[in-house]
Amino acid sequence: MKSLATYSAYLENALQQAHFPTQPANLYDPLRYFLQLGGKRMRPMLSLMACKMTGSAFEKALPAALAVEYFHNFSLIHDDIMDAAPIRRGQATVHERWNANIAILSGDVLLVKAYEQLTKYDSNTFHALFNVFNKTAIEVCEGQQMDMDFELRNEVSEAEYLEMIRLKTSVLLGCALQMGGLVGGASQKDAALLYSFGEELGLAFQIQDDILDLYGDTAQVGKQVGGDVLANKKTLLSISAKKAADNTQLQTLAALEQLQDPLLKVEKTKELYTALGARHYCEEQMKAHHQKALAALSRIEIDGSKSELEELAEFLFARTH
């Protein structure tokens, strides 16, 4: 998508020009470091696209877009601490490069900076944005807690898993779109449909991530495939496989979880998931959420062009990494 490059360049320039104090250095240097690590910037792009769809200049949504991006990066800094993750986007995580206490405090400031962006709008717009943003911020935390709780449980249902990824991933996409629409003057109804579009797109995106983690090509994914399997992580693939398995196959899956040979573990698990129809089931679920996203978009009554968001949905649906 050519438009992605335009939005990406615009956002990168805005992030480079964002002013953070220089002192205390151990508070603000980690923020500058983490923000310059890059990423797809998909969430702030959605705010810009939604605003443009209303007929307004997309630049009008920049503060809302930055609020979303700052919040997203705050959550990643804290998630990395909780996951004890050493690497993010190919570079050392903040808590690894500095320490956990610095990472916690720097993340806190980035969250405050996110809210600060919303104050750049008039009082009516601010109030509408604040309500959406605050609700979303709490839900993302709820999703992260559910994800951590699931690590301590032997069984997680499909409904529980879908609710977790909705909260942890999808609601922020919906929020980004809804806020962009509100900034552009969309009605409450159309703004809510933009949210639904993002929420369903996020569910499809995360299910696709589950599939690509095991079935993607290493060269395209950019990492060794099967990371979720090696970590015995609960995904829609693993949940649907267990649901379809008979007692013998369940025993095999349990044995594979204890297997120490990583290559053999990934290979045999992949074979069994495929035989149990888990991949096919997940692909069908991904398609269903993708179609729900497009259906929500089609019901929006804004006169502006929906082509960019339609193209984005298709672009994400066809991705291989």
Side-chain angles (χ1 to χ4, degrees):
M1 283 185 66
K2 292 182 180 179
S3 61
L4 290 186
T6 301
Y7 290 125
S8 178
Y10 176 73
L11 286 165
E12 291 301 333
N13 183 60
L15 287 165
Q16 288 174 13
Q17 293 182 11
H19 174 70
F20 293 109
T22 56
Q23 296 297 326
N26 276 342
L27 182 64
Y28 292 108
D29 285 352
L31 303 188
R32 278 184 283 266
Y33 165 77
F34 199 73
L35 288 170
Q36 64 85 33
L37 292 182
K40 296 182 178 69
R41 311 293 189 203
M42 190 60 62
R43 292 156 188 83
M45 283 186 197
L46 290 174
S47 294
L48 302 182
M49 288 180 176
C51 185
K52 183 180 176 182
M53 194 180 82
T54 68
S56 297
F58 71 79
E59 292 88 350
K60 188 177 179 181
L62 179 61
L66 290 178
V68 169
E69 185 65 3
Y70 287 167
F71 175 83
H72 178 56
N73 282 272
F74 141 77
S75 70
L76 295 181
I77 291 172
H78 282 200
D79 285 0
D80 286 342
I81 299 169
M82 289 180 262
D83 295 340
I87 300 293
R88 169 70 67 177
R89 296 166 182 158
Q91 301 294 323
T93 49
V94 173
H95 70 273
E96 281 287 322
R97 181 158 175 169
W98 283 271
N99 61 52
N101 288 338
I102 285 175
I104 291 169
L105 204 57
S106 293
D108 289 344
V109 170
L110 200 51
L111 174 61
V112 175
K113 288 291 183 181
Y115 279 97
E116 186 179 68
Q117 288 295 318
L118 301 183
T119 66
K120 297 184 179 182
Y121 293 104
D122 63 74
S123 59
N124 288 335
T125 304
F126 167 79
H127 188 265
L129 297 180
F130 180 82
N131 286 339
V132 176
F133 193 72
N134 221 38
K135 176 176 177 289
T136 301
I138 292 170
E139 288 178 329
V140 171
C141 293
E142 290 172 348
Q144 174 66 5
Q145 185 62 57
M146 288 177 71
D147 196 18
M148 292 190 296
D149 289 345
F150 289 173
E151 293 178 7
L152 305 176
R153 291 171 49 182
N154 292 325
E155 298 295 332
V156 172
S157 71
E158 179 177 330
E160 288 176 316
Y161 177 75
L162 291 174
E163 177 63 3
M164 183 273 288
I165 63 173
R166 185 187 75 83
L167 292 169
K168 187 173 178 179
T169 302
S170 298
V171 296
L172 190 55
L173 273 68
C175 171
L177 284 153
Q178 187 171 11
M179 292 207 305
L182 289 171
V183 167
S187 67
Q188 289 293 330
K189 178 183 176 182
D190 284 340
L193 285 168
L194 278 166
Y195 181 93
S196 296
F197 168 73
E199 188 177 47
E200 294 294 341
L201 196 65
L203 286 167
F205 186 89
Q206 187 57 53
I207 294 170
Q208 189 178 36
D209 259 6
D210 288 356
I211 298 168
L212 290 174
D213 184 85
L214 185 57
Y215 291 96
D217 181 82
T218 300
Q220 290 185 314
V221 174
K223 61 181 180 180
Q224 177 62 49
V225 297
D228 290 344
V229 168
L230 294 175
N232 294 329
K233 190 172 180 181
K234 296 169 185 70
T235 66
L236 190 59
L237 273 173
S238 68
I239 292 167
S240 57
K242 287 182 178 180
K243 190 175 179 180
D246 59 27
N247 287 335
T248 301
Q249 290 165 326
L250 284 172
Q251 290 174 5
T252 302
L253 285 170
L256 285 171
E257 288 185 357
Q258 304 304 316
L259 194 62
Q260 296 302 305
D261 183 330
L263 292 178
L264 189 61
K265 180 175 182 174
V266 171
E267 179 187 348
K268 293 300 181 183
T269 301
K270 184 191 294 187
E271 288 177 2
L272 187 50
Y273 280 6
T274 302
L276 289 167
R279 179 181 184 176
H280 176 73
Y281 179 78
C282 290
E283 287 173 344
E284 290 302 307
Q285 294 304 303
M286 178 184 70
K287 291 175 185 176
H289 287 292
H290 178 255
Q291 288 302 312
K292 287 180 181 178
L294 293 178
L297 188 62
S298 71
R299 293 198 299 274
I300 294 174
E301 296 175 354
I302 293 171
D303 291 333
S305 174
K306 303 173 185 176
S307 60
E308 282 189 345
L309 291 176
E310 289 170 342
E311 288 175 21
L312 177 65
E314 295 305 323
F315 173 78
L316 294 177
F317 188 66
R319 73 191 175 102
T320 56
H321 62 280

